[in-house]
Amino acid sequence: MIFDPIADILTRIRNGQMSRKNVVMAPYSKMKHSVVKVLLEKNFIQDLKVVESGKFKELEITLKPNSAMTLRRVSKPGQRMYVKASEIKPVRNGHGISIISTSQGVISGKDAYKQGLGGEYVCLVY
């Protein structure tokens, strides 16, 4: 069984929303932090903090109250999905975002398209 940390963080956020939690905690990694930071920049979550708990760091994600957000993993460890800048399309007619891991870091699909960058298609949020 292959462990997928990005799918784990998306599932933690999804479960937190369904159980009406205000705050979700997750183990820290640079990739998870970058993905959640894009969600914060695009106003899908309320706040993000990196918390030291013992000798490990954790992400403290504050969810927006009464928000409905769908998170879907696209590229998986068993089948990576890559896109060119010209192949990046709007998500749900502009009501959602795609998150792309590029050579310039993890950014939204719209920003990657504007900068002419392709990369790994991490997930969809709408």
Side-chain angles (χ1 to χ4, degrees), residues 4-126:
D4 186 6
I6 302 303
D8 177 59
I9 191 92
L10 296 177
T11 301
R12 286 174 189 254
I13 293 171
R14 197 178 308 120
N15 290 343
Q17 279 186 315
M18 290 190 328
S19 62
R20 300 184 196 275
K21 300 268 187 206
N22 293 332
V23 176
V24 176
M25 300 297 284
Y28 176 85
S29 79
K30 288 181 185 178
M31 182 67 173
K32 290 180 197 176
H33 186 252
S34 300
V35 169
V36 177
K37 199 159 72 169
V38 172
L39 293 177
L40 178 64
E41 290 168 1
K42 299 300 178 182
N43 240 1
F44 282 96
I45 61 171
Q46 192 169 344
D47 195 23
L48 169 66
K49 293 179 188 168
V50 178
V51 179
E52 296 278 343
S53 62
K55 59 182 178 178
F56 298 107
K57 292 181 186 178
E58 283 190 315
L59 294 172
E60 183 180 292
I61 304 161
T62 307
L63 303 174
K64 284 187 167 185
N66 302 322
S67 69
M69 170 174 50
T70 301
L71 303 154
R72 200 177 95 215
R73 182 81 160 113
V74 177
S75 180
K76 299 173 184 169
Q79 184 177 10
R80 299 287 184 194
M81 301 293 288
Y82 297 95
V83 290
K84 296 177 186 174
S86 60
E87 297 171 347
I88 299 172
K89 304 290 181 220
V91 177
R92 298 281 171 144
N93 291 326
H95 295 289
I97 63 166
S98 54
I99 298 178
I100 313 285
S101 177
T102 69
S103 59
Q104 303 293 314
V106 178
I107 56 177
S108 71
K110 190 174 187 178
D111 295 339
Y113 181 79
K114 285 180 184 175
Q115 295 176 23
L117 296 170
E120 184 180 351
Y121 206 137
V122 178
C123 65
L124 293 171
V125 183
Y126 52 89

